[in-house]
Amino acid sequence: MERIQGYVDHIIYRNSENGYTVLALICGEEEITCVGSLHYIGNGEAIEAEGQYKEHSTYGRQFQIVSYEIKEPEDVVSIERYLGSGAIKGIGASLAARIVKKFKADTFRIIEEEPERLAEIKGISERKAREIAEQAEEKRDMRKAMIFLQQYGISNSMGVKIYNTYGPELYRIVKENPYQMAEDIGGIGFRIADEIAGRVGIHTDSDFRIRSGILYVLQQASGEGHIYLPQEMLQERTVVLLGVSRESVEKHVMDLAVDRKLIVKEDGESICIYSTAAYYLELNAAKMLHDLNISCEISETAVLAKVAKIEKERETELDEMQRQAVAAAAGHGLLVITGGPGTGKTTTINALIDYFESEGLELRLAAPTGRAAKRMTEATGYEAQTIHRLLEVSGGTDDESRGQFGRNAENPLEADVIIIDEMSMVDIYLAHALLMAVPVGTRLIMVGDVNQLPSVGPGSVLKDIIDSGQFPVVRLTKIFRQATESDIIVNAHKINKGEHVVADNKSRDFFFLKRQDANVIISIVITLVQQKMPKYVHASQNEIQVLTPMRKGLLGVERLNTILQEYLNAPSQDKREKEYGGGLFREGDKVMQIKNNYQIEWEIRGKYGIAVEKGTGIFNGDMGIVREINTYAEMMTVEFDEGRFVDYPFKQLDELELAYAVTIHKSQGSEYPAVVIPLLPGPRMLMNRNLLYTAVTRAKSCVTLVGDEGTFYQMIDNTFEQKRYTSLQNRIKELS
């Protein structure tokens, strides 16, 4: 790393959205082109920057700034240069020279304390003097704030957020309670606030720190899928995190409950601790489910007669449970349909569509992911959307767990019947938003396989609704004849029942290649994805998905993606690259969005790349291909499903990761022509039946497992599932 010091002569280019800036810096007699994320640097600013020189293929030698500090102009030349740079509107070079000639090194004090004296200079009226003083004060306050925050290791982009949130109050907050920033500002979590607190000198047993630590532990638990934590577990985790006594944690839990930041609720012999937001999400969802669950006056005989007519017209035959599902949907405001693969969920949805359309009712279909919605559209011939698009998601919040939806209680969905597929994937946040937008009187039908893994986000919505026993549920259990021809479906049901699958490779769509060495397994996986599977299932290489149980380890996502990238998208002079976070993105890479971003904009492009449709929101699990890496504009373009193009500033690349291999958890709701599953022994709590069942059911035409046969059978036998602390079923029962 090198350090340079100088003043900004002029800004060559700036991206206002991501702060990427190209500027000319005068260092003594030399002019240096500098590039970096420099949100608040303006003409005339004096800075000291750290970084390194790099040779750009088009623009030549540049200094890439990694970090910088703004310096106050101290000498007469620097003051004149700053004022004459255009930093303050209305002051050009000649006027700046006259001001500094008169007031010399005292110029900034005059502007700050005696601005009326500026009117002594020809060309400056009293009004203009006031305007200059106001602008200078605003610039000075921001610059002062940036310099203050820099000493605590706060980046300039984060400093701007802090300044815009608190203004002059930021000095008190940083010194007294930096943990408040973790609550108020997106992007500043407990860890960052705790680091700042340590630099400020706040004690480890500070009340503010313990309170913030407790809330942080609950937030982290939410990331594991929990709605609450048992009191003992919350206390234990907080003690380990903060290194404080259990008694002090217990005291602050009660204080936070008094302040309504936490909800403490007894459940039998255990005490459950919720964040207030999480508790009311479940409570309100329970109430809305109850409100929707109204009975409709219908003749079941008439419904079944109409169903029989539909069967004749479609030349299909429903089984008794499927007919019962249509009758239940006609007679109730709320219905759950659950069943495994091949049990006719899609056929049932088609029958529901035909029935309600024959009644002249308006339907809306949706699923949690773009892939699931696309599959629903193809299977029904009826347009389905993602739930986010159904609810008309928009940006406007930094909180990744909550979007702003155009459809809500004040502006509900206009439909008579709403059918949601893949409901097992829906977490409590999305379920709550959906229920808010469904008015009483509209039928809500939720379809899903309750035996799949629970949602990535917090909650266990579908399972809790079913387990509450308060709503009509139709369970489809019969495997249809055409489905029995698929060993994927037959074996998935065997796995779900705990029966051992015969891995003799006599199947046409279910294979097990027995290997023990991780590198041999990876070599076979590459051959399958690159050569064998695309031909076998008539799909592109990018459509074949490698699914693995773990992130770490010899067959974890991180190692697999690094290796697969080199073989499936090899380096080339034609492909630009971007190193990021210890990894590498390359044009042509398969990538996945790993967090909800409600604000990011996408566009569908027509001829000549002209946008024909625009929208906002890319969500956890969405997959795409890197189409362009622009190192000059510091932007990476990704094309997602449905031809949605998104431009990612380089600083936002932490929202993406390579997706040649993804965890089985992340594959929920998706269906691929073929999946390849590498298997070696792993943690018992993770390697369970539920996980294996979900992986196998992701494949449409072919499943190939590569690895240890013993691990495969151990997973079938292992019914251990990591417990999720959720209580939607309790809230539902309380309202009954």
Side-chain angles (χ1 to χ4, degrees), residues 154-419:
I154 298 171
S155 68
N156 286 282
S157 58
M158 194 60 73
V160 171
K161 274 189 173 183
I162 295 169
Y163 181 82
N164 289 339
T165 303
Y166 299 123
E169 279 287 286
L170 72 86
Y171 302 99
R172 180 187 63 78
I173 287 163
V174 168
K175 287 177 178 175
E176 293 179 10
N177 179 21
Y179 299 100
Q180 187 177 330
M181 295 189 292
E183 291 184 44
D184 297 341
I185 302 172
I188 298 185
F190 172 81
R191 296 286 187 187
I192 293 175
D194 202 36
E195 199 176 306
I196 295 166
R199 288 176 175 160
V200 173
I202 290 173
H203 291 296
T204 55
D205 61 353
S206 150
D207 289 354
F208 292 132
R209 182 170 187 261
I210 296 171
R211 287 165 68 97
S212 185
I214 292 165
L215 295 173
Y216 174 71
V217 167
L218 279 174
Q219 182 189 2
Q220 292 299 101
S222 173
E224 298 168 26
H226 304 305
I227 296 293
Y228 69 88
L229 283 180
Q231 186 176 36
E232 287 294 310
M233 185 180 287
L234 175 70
Q235 288 175 356
E236 186 181 324
R237 288 188 178 193
T238 309
V239 166
V240 170
L241 173 73
L242 302 179
V244 296
S245 71
R246 185 176 288 268
E247 292 73 28
S248 60
V249 173
E250 194 171 349
K251 171 191 175 298
H252 283 291
V253 166
M254 292 305 112
D255 289 346
L256 284 164
V258 170
D259 293 343
R260 304 294 290 168
K261 297 274 188 181
L262 297 180
I263 300 287
V264 179
K265 190 152 180 88
E266 287 188 32
D267 180 17
E269 295 180 5
S270 64
I271 297 173
C272 311
I273 313 291
Y274 301 77
S275 72
T276 304
Y279 178 80
Y280 282 106
L281 277 170
E282 279 195 335
L283 182 64
N284 292 336
K287 184 177 185 310
M288 290 186 285
L289 286 164
H290 265 286
D291 291 346
L292 289 172
N293 189 32
I294 55 178
S295 297
C296 313
E297 291 291 329
I298 57 134
S299 161
E300 188 171 322
T301 306
V303 173
L304 293 174
K306 193 163 275 191
V307 170
K309 186 181 176 187
I310 290 167
E311 288 180 70
K312 190 175 179 182
E313 288 171 355
R314 270 198 176 257
E315 296 181 356
T316 186
E317 187 177 344
L318 303 180
D319 81 339
E320 193 53 41
M321 294 310 295
Q322 290 175 315
R323 294 188 190 103
Q324 191 180 318
V326 179
H332 295 88
L334 189 75
L335 175 66
V336 174
I337 300 171
T338 185
T343 56
K345 293 193 298 294
T346 299
T347 304
T348 307
I349 290 172
N350 280 324
L352 289 165
I353 292 169
D354 289 342
Y355 173 78
F356 286 120
E357 279 205 315
S358 73
E359 292 288 296
L361 301 181
E362 186 180 344
L363 287 95
R364 302 291 292 275
L365 273 59
T369 66
R371 282 176 176 268
K374 186 179 179 184
R375 198 168 74 245
M376 197 179 186
T377 300
E378 290 167 352
T380 63
Y382 203 98
E383 187 195 353
Q385 301 170 285
T386 63
I387 299 173
H388 289 94
R389 290 187 77 178
L390 176 74
L391 298 179
E392 298 173 15
V393 69
S394 63
T397 177
D398 287 325
D399 186 341
E400 72 158 88
S401 60
R402 298 171 184 80
Q404 288 192 352
F405 295 102
R407 294 292 179 174
N408 48 45
E410 285 72 43
N411 182 30
L413 290 163
E414 295 167 9
D416 300 305
V417 182
I418 295 168
I419 303 175

Side-chain angles (χ1 to χ4, degrees), residues 522-572:
I522 292 171
S523 177
I524 291 171
V525 167
I526 291 166
T527 303
L528 287 168
V529 176
Q530 199 170 36
Q531 299 169 29
K532 306 288 187 185
M533 283 297 122
K535 294 175 189 173
Y536 191 68
V537 298
H538 308 293
S540 71
Q541 175 183 292
N542 279 331
E543 290 178 288
I544 313 303
Q545 189 59 54
V546 178
L547 301 180
T548 182
M550 292 172 287
R551 288 199 60 82
K552 306 284 185 184
L554 293 174
L555 295 180
V557 162
E558 293 173 9
R559 181 168 187 254
L560 278 173
N561 272 321
T562 303
I563 297 169
L564 291 173
Q565 182 189 42
E566 287 302 295
Y567 287 90
L568 304 181
N569 186 31
S572 160

Side-chain angles (χ1 to χ4, degrees), residues 506-519:
K506 291 180 180 177
S507 168
R508 288 180 302 167
D509 61 7
F510 196 98
F511 303 98
F512 200 117
L513 308 180
K514 298 165 190 176
R515 303 290 189 278
Q516 295 297 326
D517 181 84
N519 291 330

